[in-house]
Amino acid sequence: LRREARLRREYLYRKAREESQRAAQDRKEKVRRALEENRLIPTELRREALTLQGSLEFDDAGGEGVTNHVDDEYRWAGVEDPKVMITTSRDPSSRLKMFAKELKLVFPGAQRMNRGRHEVGALVRACKANGVTDLLVVHEHRGTP
């Protein structure tokens, strides 16, 4: 339930951020059109017209067709290889070791390490610092990986 709630919050946050970016882009476009056609700037934009005009200079297409957060997720697919880290518990069983070994063969360039007494948060920070793109946490329940 917590995971679903977190995913829902993240989705709503991304959608709200996209909407605010879209609204800002619309305001910039209105100012740009008014300046090009030598018309008066709309009254609701007059207070922020100078800042909008200043930011228009630095705007570019960027992102090559990225329109929303779903497209952005796959931006680097095929450009750079993912770096995968597979972690097991402190004292993995033989079945869990074999499963982790098979996972290592499935993902090219994957590395395996025991979590030991390290917290997952510390592992995530270490992976970010070392350029690891994906972290797989492998565990077992009643001897079943």
Side-chain angles (χ1 to χ4, degrees), residues 37-62:
E37 298 172 2
N38 203 16
R39 288 186 291 122
L40 286 175
I41 295 174
T43 55
E44 68 271 7
L45 300 175
R46 286 185 184 161
R47 289 184 189 265
E48 58 182 343
L50 288 175
T51 58
L52 289 173
Q53 184 182 4
S55 65
L56 277 173
E57 296 175 23
F58 302 109
D59 280 353
D60 62 347

Side-chain angles (χ1 to χ4, degrees), residues 76-84 107-110 131-134:
W76 298 112
V79 176
E80 56 185 46
D81 293 331
K83 195 172 175 186
V84 180
F107 299 107
V132 173
T133 58
D134 300 293

Side-chain angles (χ1 to χ4, degrees), residues 10-27:
E10 288 176 359
Y11 174 75
L12 291 174
Y13 171 73
R14 280 192 221 106
K15 292 294 282 184
R17 195 173 78 204
E18 285 175 12
E19 184 60 36
S20 66
Q21 288 173 349
R22 193 175 303 120
Q25 188 63 33
D26 289 343
R27 290 194 312 267

Side-chain angles (χ1 to χ4, degrees), residues 3 24 39 46 66-67 69 74-76 79 82 90 92-93 103 105 118 120-121 124 133 137 139-140:
R3 180 176 182 267
R39 288 186 291 122
R46 286 185 184 161
V66 174
T67 57
H69 65 277
Y74 300 105
R75 177 179 40 194
W76 298 112
V79 176
R90 181 180 354 177
S93 66
L103 278 178
L105 295 174
H118 300 294
V120 177
V124 169
T133 58
V137 178
H139 69 96
E140 57 189 342

